[in-house]
């Protein structure tokens, strides 16, 4: 299978389907460009709460979510950009997808997924530079402002992917990265999630779809909070030097 066919196969599920791209910010534009590069003539719908000029988007129509709502009846797949709140996901959950979901479905086993309320950009950047120094076949994508679809054609079975993951990117995924890291948990984004429980649940998706061959790295301070969420991956805990005695396959202590 040539490279174009392999790349196209990643998103072949949308072929001959009705697709709407919900949110036309940086990631929405990236999603449009990626789909259009593989399916030049495929009709698409672009949805946003703010009107956009669709002149640069051939063979597209615009859906105004401010006046037309967000039920999207009649669409087979909804590519949602991060940060757009969904207050009744049960209505569209079977049709909801995203760049993160598609990428993890195809390349989850290549991926180091790093999330947390604080420090994820610094930690992700440091890890990327360490891995890149060891192996040039390493990429850095995600919440740093680089949509993963922009680099998807550079990923092969040996590529290491450092993916900085926001809670919004993780909220509706059904796949997890091979190595899932939660650095810490503090109260944040409650305007979107309403409750801390909803926020933590979104974060937990970085490990909750793993299998026994995967690895979960957690701050030992958050183990009790996260224990209610399913986890199959091998556990590594990182502690702050206070000498906490916590169960793990591997524990790292110190600052």
């Amino acid at each position: 299978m040539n490279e174009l066919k392999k790349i196209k196969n990643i998103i072949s599920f949308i072929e001959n389907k009705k697709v709407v791209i919900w949110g036309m910010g940086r990631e929405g534009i990236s999603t449009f460009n990626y789909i259009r590069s593989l399916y030049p003539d495929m009709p698409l719908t672009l949805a946003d709460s703010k009107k956009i000029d669709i002149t640069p988007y051939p063979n597209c129509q615009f859906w105004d979510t401010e006046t037309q709502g967000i039920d999207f009846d009649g669409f087979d797949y909804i590519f949602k950009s991060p940060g757009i709140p969904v207050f009744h996901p049960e209505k569209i959950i079977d049709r909801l997808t995203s760049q993160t979901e598609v990428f993890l479905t195809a390349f989850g086993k290549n991926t180091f997924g790093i999330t947390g309320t604080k420090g994820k950009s610094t930690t992700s950047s440091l890890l990327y530079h360490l891995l890149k120094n060891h192996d040039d076949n390493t990429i850095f994508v995600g919440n740093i402002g680089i949509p993963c679809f922009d680099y998807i054609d550079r990923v092969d079975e040996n590529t290491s992917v450092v993916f900085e993951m926001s809670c919004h990117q993780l909220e509706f995924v059904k796949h997890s990265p091979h190595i899932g890291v939660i650095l810490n948990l503090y109260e944040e984004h409650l305007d979107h999630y309403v409750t801390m429980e909803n926020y933590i649940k979104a974060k937990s998706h970085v490990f909750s779809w793993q299998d026994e061959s995967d690895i979960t790295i957690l701050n030992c301070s958050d183990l009790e909070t996260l224990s209610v969420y399913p986890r199959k991956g091998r556990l590594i805990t990182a502690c702050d030097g206070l000498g906490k005695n916590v169960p793990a396959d591997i524990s790292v202590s110190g600052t």
Side-chain angles (χ1 to χ4, degrees):
M1 187 182 292
N2 63 39
E3 287 304 309
L4 178 60
K5 286 183 178 178
K6 282 195 290 186
I7 293 169
K8 192 170 183 177
N9 188 57
I10 292 167
I11 202 166
S12 61
F13 65 91
I14 69 168
E15 194 165 8
N16 300 317
K17 303 295 184 180
K18 292 191 67 176
V19 175
V20 56
I21 300 172
W22 184 11
M24 288 305 294
R26 187 194 302 267
E27 185 164 310
I29 293 170
S30 170
T31 300
F32 168 81
N33 289 335
Y34 178 66
I35 293 175
R36 185 57 77 228
S37 70
L38 299 175
Y39 299 101
D41 302 317
M42 180 180 182
L44 293 169
T45 297
L46 312 179
D48 206 298
S49 59
K50 297 179 181 178
K51 289 190 180 296
I52 62 171
D53 178 10
I54 64 169
T55 304
Y57 304 103
N59 208 16
C60 288
Q61 63 177 354
F62 176 67
W63 183 291
D64 186 346
T65 59
E66 187 70 24
T67 60
Q68 294 174 266
I70 57 172
D71 286 339
F72 299 134
D73 288 338
F75 289 95
D76 299 298
Y77 291 103
I78 304 163
F79 273 86
K80 189 183 85 68
S81 294
I84 298 174
V86 182
F87 295 108
H88 298 286
E90 65 279 358
K91 294 181 179 180
I92 58 173
I93 194 67
D94 291 338
R95 297 173 286 147
L96 203 60
T97 190
S98 65
Q99 284 203 12
T100 303
E101 172 67 10
V102 172
F103 191 91
L104 289 177
T105 302
F107 301 117
K109 291 301 183 183
N110 299 59
T111 302
F112 299 76
I114 298 174
T115 193
T117 307
K118 307 294 182 184
K120 55 184 175 291
S121 294
T122 301
T123 304
S124 299
S125 180
L126 177 61
L127 177 61
Y128 166 71
H129 287 293
L130 288 171
L131 292 174
K132 185 78 169 177
N133 188 59
H134 173 71
D135 183 356
D136 192 55
N137 190 11
T138 303
I139 64 170
F140 187 13
V141 298
N143 194 53
I144 53 165
I146 303 177
C148 55
F149 276 11
D150 288 3
Y151 280 77
I152 203 167
D153 61 347
R154 291 175 50 180
V155 183
D156 60 40
E157 61 183 8
N158 297 312
T159 305
S160 294
V161 179
V162 178
F163 200 135
E164 181 189 332
M165 308 185 112
S166 71
C167 51
H168 301 323
Q169 288 170 312
L170 288 164
E171 186 174 9
F172 295 109
V173 297
K174 296 182 180 64
H175 292 80
S176 296
H178 171 53
I179 298 178
V181 182
I182 299 181
L183 299 171
N184 46 56
L185 294 169
Y186 299 103
E187 188 172 291
E188 195 169 70
H189 297 302
L190 297 193
D191 56 329
H192 180 105
Y193 291 99
V194 182
T195 69
M196 188 66 175
E197 181 182 2
N198 291 336
Y199 171 65
I200 294 172
K201 183 178 180 181
K203 289 286 193 187
S204 75
H205 291 161
V206 79
F207 64 74
S208 59
W209 302 101
Q210 290 181 329
D211 61 35
E212 291 81 359
S213 68
D214 297 318
I215 296 171
T216 304
I217 302 177
L218 301 178
N219 187 323
C220 58
S221 299
D222 299 317
L223 286 180
E224 184 176 352
T225 301
L226 292 167
S227 64
V228 299
Y229 301 102
R231 180 184 55 77
K232 293 182 179 179
R234 184 182 184 192
L235 177 63
I236 298 176
T237 61
C239 295
D240 58 10
L242 298 178
K244 292 187 178 181
N245 183 20
V246 294
D249 296 296
I250 299 174
S251 287
V252 179
S253 247
T255 57

